Amino acid sequence: MKRIYLDNGATTPTHPEALKAMEPLFTQKYGNPSSIHSFGQEAKVAVDSAREDVQKLINARSPEEIIFTSGGTEANNLAVIGAAMAGKKRGKHIITSKIEHHAVLHPCEYLEKELDFQVTYLPVDEKGRVHIDDFKGAIKEDTILASIMMANNEIGTLQPVKEFTVAARESDVVFHTDAVQVAGTMPLDVQELGVDMLSMSAHKFNGPNGVGALYLRKGVKVHPHMHGGGQENKLRGSTHNTPGIVGLGWVCRYARETMDEKVKHLEELRDMLIEGIEERIPETILNGPRRERLPGNVHFCFPYIEGEAILLNLDLKGIAASSGSACTSGSLAPSHVLLGIGRSHELAHGSLRLTLGIDNTQEDVEYVLQVLPEIVQKLRDMSPLYNK
Amino acid sequence: MKRIYLDNGATTPTHPEALKAMEPLFTQKYGNPSSIHSFGQEAKVAVDSAREDVQKLINARSPEEIIFTSGGTEANNLAVIGAAMAGKKRGKHIITSKIEHHAVLHPCEYLEKELDFQVTYLPVDEKGRVHIDDFKGAIKEDTILASIMMANNEIGTLQPVKEFTVAARESDVVFHTDAVQVAGTMPLDVQELGVDMLSMSAHKFNGPNGVGALYLRKGVKVHPHMHGGGQENKLRGSTHNTPGIVGLGWVCRYARETMDEKVKHLEELRDMLIEGIEERIPETILNGPRRERLPGNVHFCFPYIEGEAILLNLDLKGIAASSGSACTSGSLAPSHVLLGIGRSHELAHGSLRLTLGIDNTQEDVEYVLQVLPEIVQKLRDMSPLYNK
Amino acid sequence: MYSDKVMDHFTNPRNMGKMENPHGESQVGNPTCGDIMKIAIKVEDNRIKDIKFQTFGCGAAVATSSMITEMVKGKTLDEAMGISNKAVAEALDGLPPVKMHCSNLAAEALHKAIEDYKQRKKGKEEG
Amino acid sequence: MYSDKVMDHFTNPRNMGKMENPHGESQVGNPTCGDIMKIAIKVEDNRIKDIKFQTFGCGAAVATSSMITEMVKGKTLDEAMGISNKAVAEALDGLPPVKMHCSNLAAEALHKAIEDYKQRKKGKEEG
Ligand SMILES: Cc1ncc(COP(=O)(O)O)c(C=O)c1O
Ligand SMILES: Cc1ncc(COP(=O)(O)O)c(C=O)c1O
């Protein structure tokens, strides 16, 4: 059976060339980059060069502003908990949004529950956008940190981050953005955006799992989250994951070189999918904006039916998709993001996310458009809520 | 030039077969193991099977007691900070030793400084051993956690962990051990040891960098350290590093199969090195015990000379070694471990660690024994402290 | 994730659909928790003569609905009332722990449909 | 980690060893910080005629000692006193940031040796 992977928002295949670039670090240049001998120095050269690749992708001012982590979650934890703990003498109020990834929400909840911080969770509109007036209105005397994601991983909504950073700067609020869904997929310029911190993760753009980075603007203070050795400018202990870091560097370079094509390719397929679904399936609800959304993200609610049942049927046809985010599958609660944009519980349970990647083709889209309508109809026919 | 790697205590080469086992996870079974589609389920099978391999290596009761992390540091952070935060209502006192790895000491210091915990840092004897009487004496009404490493990464000393766990259990103190230097290198049985938590790291025994595990005995409560998705039984957010986890599983299996040979091989070379150095170089000081030490660890102080200068000279001869631990190189402070066993600053600066791995041979040892005496003599001749 | 039996019932659900003039009927669950099950029965000689289900829910919900209809068709009402959640899950070769609540739903729906039948019958007899 | 120049001076240190009957001498640093440097000079016509060093320390410490002896040999005392830490580091094509303090030590040792020479001379002249 033909297998079509449309869950690139969850994770992507590692590019074979990235893997090739990583291989010497496993078996030849296997030294610890903190060691002064030649094995270590070889590894250090590789890590330094990857750091520059990351720097260039996001236009950071210097490679020292890049802190390697074990992924997007750790980058978010370091940013949110690290900046909160470092700033707690100035104040204990944090601003975030209701539709952040759990890797931001859970650190915030932890700070609230265990460490006496106050967190404002900003609402979003029906498209999933945080409004600048709400943002400004939430800033208080003791606000030290704001974290608003660049793009939502479920419904693909892009946020007007630049507006927030201007307001944050005016009030001396450190601003973090979770750009895990954006980095490597859309052009990104931390200077232009004006963010203080930005999280990314290699496996979301054809790099390896288990490695990511936090951009930390020079001068911004955070406490380490991984307490240990003196690595990463004393901000992140633990022996460097040299192959992973080299893989991240490789995909950053690759993303820079292929960015324009990639965006164009994904947007074309995305719009084909969205329009095709709307044409072929009655009663659909597109989640997120039609245009200001991630180039590879398609997200619908199909009334009367349940998401997992759609996924299982798609899987039986060889199509890998998701409903909500991968890390919450297994949980029974409907997506906080869909509830956040005002969907009812019933609708929230009936959602489908198709996320495109660089390997997808027009044929893939056509195949989905061929099988999905039947699946939805079959499930509707089974549903006690459907009356047609 | 022949190159000899004798820094296996810092990190080891990844076994080519482990890499081969990992490869499909990068480019074929690349799904997110939390996803329900076939790509995800393939990955999940691989992760589950690796979890059983880890379980078996350390004889945990069930695979659910294994939490995958990004390495030894994260395992230690999760254990120490996680158990401290989960237990803080019962008390805020922690016991550890003066010669722990920074990945335990720094979390302890963080808990002290930022979160009002009290930490007792137990002294060690001249061989680096913590004494059970000191341990018992330190337990107080409000002691909730003790963390004593199984084997010291610098001087190789093995601790009588079993004695500590008996005492800890009697006083309802959760007991963690950092076994990063032991796991995969010496037989390990968590049930026999009686530990509640145990940290390990793949890259210390020919697995990949950037992956490790915490053994968490069923029933022991910890807060997550990586706050995010529901992965790892809600104890560790972040998309699984599937290739890394599979690599860890592979080396656990390999270590189990080759354990006896490995220990024998390392101990033979170790004793050859220790005896050879003592024979050929006047005025040497062996650090750590002669026998109850890590099978691959050799650690000396050479009076009158400085460690980095030894390393650089060895490196020029193709030999990779270390002085203190890799993660503190770059720091100017002498090793806290050597100061902990009572070495003077001067001696502490003049230390050399040679750590053997599975690839080392008798010829490697002979070569070291040939070049090291000359290097030491040359540096002594240069030293203002040497008067012969 | 699911056993072959679950997937079999999910892909080829037995007794799925609406029923004209059912003798007993029930709907359990609610959209908040993501599962709704409807069961309709026809009863003859105190036995379940015909049964149909409709389900809004995950794979486990569909499969347990389908399975339970197959299990009770032709059984006496007492036998059907004796079908437990556990029995349904076991007949499906088990369910993932997180999905165990779905088997509760199926048994609950069946039992309620039978009770509804009894109520109606009592109503008729009394009326 | 280190420049080629540093490694050159580290592997082939110039003017290393003890000196018989030095005209001026110094020892700086201490074992706590891990670096000790000893410099001995002979002076003729107000110029450094001969210079020797001994060092307990890291690669940078050895290289800076060696380099500074080479830089000042034959120079007048005033010229030698003018040698700055920065100049030594630059002559070695730079040092890793964490090692910059080593170049301080070399200049300090040199300057102290010259002062010692001046003290001794003064002592002789006065005595
Ligand atoms: C928006 C967002 N933030 C954070 C993460 C977490 O990244 P990682 O899985 O690399 O820890 C993800 C994906 O899982 C994401 O989509
Ligand atoms: C005893 C000990 N604990 C913890 C660590 C940290 O492990 P990792 O580098 O995998 O984070 C190391 C090695 O670096 C170690 O030797």
Side-chain angles (χ1 to χ4, degrees):
Chain A
M1 187 174 55
K2 197 177 163 177
R3 288 173 83 203
I4 297 178
Y5 187 73
L6 285 173
D7 201 9
N8 291 280
T11 191
T12 57
T14 298
H15 196 294
E17 293 292 321
L19 179 56
K20 212 175 273 175
M22 293 163 67
E23 271 163 4
L25 280 295
F26 284 109
T27 49
Q28 293 154 39
K29 304 184 182 186
Y30 50 76
N32 184 324
S34 304
S35 303
I36 66 171
H37 48 64
S38 63
F39 293 86
Q41 294 299 304
E42 281 166 2
K44 184 168 185 295
V45 167
V47 168
D48 288 347
S49 143
R51 204 184 297 281
E52 285 174 22
D53 290 328
V54 178
Q55 175 208 351
K56 282 181 194 147
L57 178 69
I58 61 172
N59 195 30
R61 283 166 208 80
S62 102
E64 281 82 55
E65 294 181 321
I66 308 301
I67 317 289
F68 289 119
T69 68
S70 64
T73 301
E74 188 187 334
N76 285 345
N77 275 256
L78 172 57
V80 174
I81 299 181
M85 292 303 279
K88 71 176 192 286
K89 278 189 194 123
R90 288 194 301 121
K92 297 189 92 171
H93 179 243
I94 298 170
I95 299 171
T96 186
S97 88
K98 279 193 165 48
I99 64 163
E100 296 298 310
H101 191 272
H102 286 143
V104 164
L105 288 180
H106 288 178
C108 285
E109 288 162 13
Y110 186 75
L111 289 168
E112 259 184 315
K113 195 165 155 234
E114 300 290 337
L115 299 164
D116 293 327
F117 282 78
Q118 291 86 45
V119 181
T120 300
Y121 300 89
L122 294 176
V124 294
D125 65 19
E126 206 242 344
K127 299 291 178 205
R129 268 179 300 235
V130 174
H131 282 261
I132 180 67
D133 294 344
D134 289 338
F135 184 82
K136 281 185 180 161
I139 297 177
K140 303 193 292 179
E141 190 60 32
D142 62 339
T143 308
I144 53 167
L145 173 66
S147 179
I148 310 278
M149 71 201 313
M150 265 202 94
N152 184 270
N153 49 307
E154 294 189 35
I155 59 174
T157 309
L158 302 176
Q159 301 291 351
V161 166
K162 170 106 207 187
E163 294 177 13
F164 306 144
T165 62
V166 170
R169 182 98 5 129
E170 272 169 15
S171 305
D172 255 334
V173 170
V174 173
F175 191 89
H176 166 251
T177 193
D178 174 350
V180 167
Q181 291 286 337
V182 176
T185 295
M186 297 177 75
L188 206 48
D189 182 331
V190 291
Q191 298 190 49
E192 157 73 27
L193 277 173
V195 294
D196 296 309
M197 300 187 281
L198 178 146
S199 303
M200 65 166 82
S201 182
H203 74 94
K204 302 288 187 188
F205 57 112
N206 303 99
N209 289 20
V211 62
L214 180 70
Y215 159 75
L216 180 68
R217 190 169 63 73
K218 200 178 159 183
V220 176
K221 294 262 173 302
V222 297
H223 281 185
H225 187 66
M226 207 75 98
H227 303 272
Q231 292 92 349
E232 296 299 284
N233 218 352
K234 300 208 169 81
L235 285 175
R236 202 255 173 189
S238 194
T239 305
H240 285 96
N241 174 1
T242 46
I245 288 169
V246 165
L248 172 58
W250 190 93
V251 282
C252 284
R253 219 158 54 239
Y254 180 71
R256 221 155 58 92
E257 284 161 9
T258 56
M259 186 62 79
D260 293 350
E261 298 161 55
K262 180 175 177 180
V263 172
K264 191 159 157 283
H265 176 69
L266 295 181
E267 285 186 343
E268 258 173 40
L269 298 185
R270 175 194 73 188
D271 294 342
M272 256 182 83
L273 257 177
I274 291 180
E275 285 154 28
I277 287 173
E278 291 181 328
E279 254 171 55
R280 284 170 182 76
I281 303 180
E283 294 190 74
T284 60
I285 300 167
L286 176 67
N287 294 308
R290 200 163 288 271
R291 300 272 159 218
E292 282 94 57
R293 69 188 300 132
L294 283 168
N297 175 289
V298 174
H299 197 287
F300 277 98
C301 284
F302 298 113
Y304 318 123
I305 62 178
E306 193 270 347
E308 191 199 282
I310 309 176
L311 297 190
L312 287 173
N313 275 297
L314 283 171
D315 192 42
L316 290 166
K317 298 279 185 192
I319 300 169
S322 76
S323 175
S325 65
C327 24
T328 49
S329 76
S331 134
L332 302 169
S335 151
H336 66 287
V337 175
L338 294 177
L339 298 181
I341 61 169
R343 300 285 176 256
S344 68
H345 274 75
E346 182 190 320
L347 277 177
H349 275 294
S351 71
L352 175 68
R353 183 181 75 163
L354 300 166
T355 39
L356 297 147
I358 53 176
D359 296 330
N360 290 122
T361 61
Q362 202 160 320
E363 288 81 66
D364 294 350
V365 169
E366 281 159 9
Y367 181 65
V368 172
L369 291 178
Q370 181 195 320
V371 305
L372 183 60
E374 293 166 21
I375 291 172
V376 170
Q377 194 54 48
K378 177 178 141 188
L379 290 172
R380 284 184 173 169
D381 287 341
M382 197 188 289
S383 169
L385 306 173
Y386 185 63
N387 274 314
K388 300 237 164 89
Chain B
M1 187 173 56
K2 196 175 163 178
R3 289 173 81 203
I4 297 176
Y5 188 72
L6 286 172
D7 201 9
N8 292 279
T11 192
T12 58
T14 299
H15 196 294
E17 294 292 322
L19 179 56
K20 213 175 275 174
M22 294 164 67
E23 271 162 1
L25 281 295
F26 284 109
T27 49
Q28 293 155 41
K29 306 183 181 186
Y30 49 79
N32 185 324
S34 304
S35 304
I36 67 171
H37 48 63
S38 63
F39 293 86
Q41 293 299 304
E42 282 167 2
K44 184 168 185 296
V45 167
V47 167
D48 287 349
S49 144
R51 204 184 298 281
E52 285 174 21
D53 290 328
V54 178
Q55 175 208 351
K56 283 182 192 146
L57 178 70
I58 62 173
N59 195 29
R61 285 165 206 79
S62 104
E64 281 81 54
E65 295 182 322
I66 308 302
I67 318 288
F68 289 119
T69 68
S70 65
T73 300
E74 188 187 335
N76 285 345
N77 275 254
L78 172 57
V80 174
I81 299 180
M85 291 302 280
K88 71 177 192 285
K89 276 186 196 126
R90 289 194 302 119
K92 297 188 88 170
H93 179 243
I94 298 170
I95 299 171
T96 186
S97 89
K98 279 195 165 50
I99 64 162
E100 296 297 310
H101 192 272
H102 285 142
V104 164
L105 287 181
H106 288 179
C108 286
E109 287 162 13
Y110 185 75
L111 288 167
E112 260 184 315
K113 195 164 155 235
E114 301 289 336
L115 299 163
D116 293 326
F117 282 78
Q118 290 85 46
V119 182
T120 300
Y121 300 89
L122 295 175
V124 294
D125 66 19
E126 206 242 344
K127 299 291 177 205
R129 268 179 302 236
V130 174
H131 282 261
I132 180 66
D133 295 343
D134 289 337
F135 184 82
K136 283 185 179 160
I139 296 177
K140 303 192 292 180
E141 191 59 33
D142 62 340
T143 307
I144 53 166
L145 173 68
S147 179
I148 310 277
M149 72 202 311
M150 265 202 92
N152 184 270
N153 50 306
E154 294 188 36
I155 60 175
T157 308
L158 302 176
Q159 300 292 350
V161 166
K162 170 106 208 188
E163 294 177 14
F164 305 145
T165 63
V166 170
R169 181 96 9 127
E170 274 169 15
S171 305
D172 254 333
V173 170
V174 173
F175 191 89
H176 167 251
T177 193
D178 175 350
V180 167
Q181 291 286 335
V182 177
T185 295
M186 297 177 75
L188 205 49
D189 181 332
V190 291
Q191 298 189 51
E192 157 73 26
L193 277 173
V195 293
D196 295 309
M197 301 187 280
L198 177 146
S199 305
M200 65 167 82
S201 183
H203 74 95
K204 302 288 187 187
F205 57 111
N206 302 100
N209 289 21
V211 61
L214 181 69
Y215 159 75
L216 180 67
R217 191 169 63 73
K218 198 178 159 183
V220 175
K221 294 264 174 302
V222 296
H223 281 187
H225 188 65
M226 209 74 99
H227 303 272
Q231 292 92 348
E232 296 300 284
N233 218 350
K234 299 209 171 80
L235 285 174
R236 201 253 175 191
S238 196
T239 306
H240 285 96
N241 174 1
T242 46
I245 288 168
V246 165
L248 172 58
W250 191 93
V251 282
C252 284
R253 219 157 55 239
Y254 180 73
R256 221 155 59 93
E257 285 161 8
T258 57
M259 186 62 80
D260 293 350
E261 299 160 55
K262 180 175 177 179
V263 173
K264 192 161 157 283
H265 176 70
L266 295 182
E267 285 185 345
E268 258 173 38
L269 297 185
R270 175 194 74 187
D271 294 341
M272 256 184 83
L273 256 177
I274 291 179
E275 285 156 28
I277 287 173
E278 291 180 329
E279 254 172 55
R280 284 171 182 74
I281 304 180
E283 294 189 74
T284 61
I285 300 166
L286 177 67
N287 294 308
R290 198 163 289 269
R291 298 273 159 218
E292 282 94 57
R293 67 187 301 134
L294 283 168
N297 175 289
V298 174
H299 197 287
F300 277 99
C301 284
F302 297 113
Y304 318 123
I305 61 178
E306 193 271 348
E308 190 200 282
I310 309 175
L311 297 191
L312 287 173
N313 275 296
L314 283 171
D315 192 43
L316 290 166
K317 298 280 186 192
I319 300 168
S322 76
S323 173
S325 65
C327 26
T328 49
S329 76
S331 132
L332 303 167
S335 151
H336 66 287
V337 176
L338 294 177
L339 299 180
I341 62 170
R343 299 286 176 257
S344 68
H345 276 75
E346 182 190 319
L347 277 176
H349 276 293
S351 72
L352 175 69
R353 183 181 75 163
L354 300 165
T355 40
L356 296 146
I358 55 176
D359 296 330
N360 289 122
T361 62
Q362 202 159 323
E363 288 80 68
D364 293 350
V365 169
E366 281 159 9
Y367 180 65
V368 172
L369 292 178
Q370 181 195 319
V371 305
L372 183 60
E374 293 166 22
I375 290 172
V376 171
Q377 195 55 47
K378 178 178 139 186
L379 290 173
R380 284 183 173 170
D381 287 340
M382 197 187 288
S383 170
L385 306 172
Y386 186 65
N387 274 313
K388 296 233 168 90
Chain C
M1 181 161 110
Y2 288 126
S3 70
D4 292 345
K5 278 248 179 82
V6 171
M7 287 311 291
D8 176 33
H9 278 267
F10 174 72
T11 41
N12 305 299
R14 332 290 202 250
N15 307 306
M16 193 267 286
K18 288 185 194 166
M19 182 184 281
E20 302 282 309
N21 308 317
H23 300 165
E25 231 180 353
S26 72
Q27 177 165 325
V28 302
N30 65 64
T32 311
C33 69
D35 288 304
I36 301 176
M37 245 173 241
K38 207 166 165 171
I39 281 192
I41 51 173
K42 290 214 165 131
V43 181
E44 251 174 48
D45 296 339
N46 220 34
R47 279 180 192 274
I48 295 182
K49 178 85 192 315
D50 195 10
I51 180 161
K52 291 271 184 202
F53 80 88
Q54 284 182 290
T55 291
F56 163 92
C58 65
V62 173
T64 50
S65 318
S66 166
M67 175 53 93
I68 207 168
T69 63
E70 206 175 60
M71 287 168 80
V72 300
K73 209 166 180 176
K75 292 262 185 322
T76 66
L77 294 186
D78 279 359
E79 284 167 344
M81 285 303 282
I83 298 269
S84 69
N85 309 322
K86 232 181 110 210
V88 182
E90 275 168 12
L92 287 165
D93 294 343
L95 287 173
V98 70
K99 299 290 187 181
M100 281 308 290
H101 78 289
C102 300
S103 63
N104 303 357
L105 225 50
E108 190 189 337
L110 173 69
H111 300 165
K112 285 214 169 137
I114 294 173
E115 272 155 28
D116 180 51
Y117 161 77
K118 289 182 177 165
Q119 283 295 333
R120 293 194 197 183
K121 202 176 131 198
K122 211 165 135 200
K124 264 196 220 145
E125 280 166 3
E126 281 168 4
Chain D
M1 182 160 107
Y2 287 126
S3 69
D4 291 346
K5 276 248 179 86
V6 171
M7 288 311 292
D8 175 34
H9 277 268
F10 174 71
T11 42
N12 305 298
R14 332 288 201 256
N15 306 306
M16 192 268 286
K18 286 186 196 164
M19 184 185 278
E20 302 281 311
N21 308 317
H23 299 164
E25 229 178 357
S26 71
Q27 177 164 325
V28 301
N30 66 63
T32 310
C33 68
D35 288 304
I36 301 174
M37 245 174 241
K38 207 165 163 172
I39 282 192
I41 50 173
K42 288 215 166 129
V43 181
E44 250 174 49
D45 295 340
N46 220 34
R47 280 182 191 273
I48 295 182
K49 177 85 192 313
D50 196 10
I51 179 161
K52 290 271 184 201
F53 80 89
Q54 283 183 290
T55 292
F56 164 91
C58 65
V62 173
T64 49
S65 319
S66 166
M67 175 51 93
I68 208 168
T69 62
E70 207 175 60
M71 286 168 83
V72 301
K73 209 166 179 177
K75 292 262 185 327
T76 66
L77 294 186
D78 280 357
E79 283 165 344
M81 286 301 282
I83 299 268
S84 70
N85 308 321
K86 234 181 109 209
V88 182
E90 276 168 12
L92 287 165
D93 294 342
L95 287 173
V98 70
K99 298 292 188 181
M100 281 309 290
H101 79 289
C102 299
S103 63
N104 303 357
L105 225 51
E108 190 189 337
L110 172 68
H111 300 166
K112 285 215 170 135
I114 294 173
E115 271 156 28
D116 180 50
Y117 161 76
K118 288 184 177 164
Q119 283 296 334
R120 291 195 197 183
K121 204 176 129 197
K122 210 163 135 203
K124 263 197 218 145
E125 280 168 1
E126 280 170 3

